[in-house]
Amino acid sequence: GNLKKLQSLDLSVNNFSGRLPSSFGNFTRLLYFDARQNKLSGPIIPEIGNLRRLRTLDLSWNSLTGPLPITIGNLKHLQSLDLQNCRISGNIPEEITELRSLTYLNLAENIFKGELPESVGRLTNLNYLIAPNAGLTGKIPPQLGNCKRLKIINLSFNSLSGPLPEDLAGLESISSVLLDSNCLSGPVPGWISNWKEVESIILSKNLLSGSLP
């Protein structure tokens, strides 16, 4: 806990186990932390919110449990957050949408419950929203259309329902939309022709109906 000047810590692809110590929150100058592909367990410590200078946080492919701490919202400079395959549960906290610098968000393969927060529209710098097989339910929030820089949306293998919100028509930078294996309904809207940069749209295994646009 005395590494007061530490700015970069890469522990990735090892066999570290157990919990992150709370003293980790003392590394207040840390900009980069990568602990992916280990055997870390237990909850993500609330002290993570002390790392206010952090730009990159990767805890993917561990055995972390419990909800995301609301202190995650303190990381105002965070640009990349990767929590893929961590067994994180509970609701996605509103506080995650305080991360206005975020360009990459990966919540895939967790066991969240509930909806993607409507306040996701605050993440206006987001390029990549990756959350397949994450336990999401409810509708795709129309506010996602405020994220004008989005290039890739992957929300496949969830339980999302309802129609595709028209607000997504304004995502002019979008290149890939993966919404397969959900419960989406209604027609395939004509406004998807607004997506001038799109290269891949996958809507298979839903409840979509009507005539093709």
Side-chain angles (χ1 to χ4, degrees), residues 184-204:
L184 299 172
S185 58
V188 176
W191 50 252
I192 64 171
S193 61
N194 291 3
W195 293 343
K196 304 299 185 187
E197 302 297 321
V198 76
E199 297 175 2
S200 177
I201 301 174
I202 303 181
L203 300 174
S204 59

Side-chain angles (χ1 to χ4, degrees), residues 8 12 28 30 36 38 40 81 95 99 104 142 147 151 153 176 195 200 212-213:
S8 180
S12 62
T28 54
L30 206 60
R36 63 192 153 88
N38 278 287
L40 298 174
L81 175 60
E95 286 77 10
L99 309 180
Y104 179 87
C147 304
K151 296 178 180 177
I153 298 174
S176 183
W195 293 343
S200 177
L212 292 174

Side-chain angles (χ1 to χ4, degrees), residues 123-124 126 129 140-153 165-177 191-198:
L123 301 177
T124 53
L126 200 61
L129 174 59
I140 298 173
Q143 293 83 354
L144 195 58
N146 296 333
C147 304
K148 303 293 187 186
R149 298 185 180 183
L150 269 173
K151 296 178 180 177
I152 294 179
I153 298 174
E166 188 173 352
D167 305 69
L168 302 187
L171 299 180
E172 296 179 358
S173 299
I174 201 78
S175 65
S176 183
V177 179
W191 50 252
I192 64 171
S193 61
N194 291 3
W195 293 343
K196 304 299 185 187
E197 302 297 321
V198 76

Side-chain angles (χ1 to χ4, degrees), residues 136-141 153-165 168 177-189 191 195 201-210:
L136 299 177
T137 59
K139 297 182 178 181
I140 298 173
I153 298 174
N154 186 348
L155 298 175
S156 59
F157 293 95
N158 283 293
S159 298
L160 298 170
S161 58
L164 293 173
L168 302 187
V177 179
L178 292 81
L179 298 173
D180 52 300
S181 301
N182 278 285
C183 301
L184 299 172
S185 58
V188 176
W191 50 252
W195 293 343
I201 301 174
I202 303 181
L203 300 174
S204 59
K205 298 181 182 177
N206 278 286
L207 302 172
L208 299 167
S209 59

Side-chain angles (χ1 to χ4, degrees), residues 43-54:
I44 296 177
I45 54 173
E47 290 84 359
I48 203 88
N50 296 344
L51 310 180
R52 295 173 184 265
R53 297 187 182 188
L54 208 58

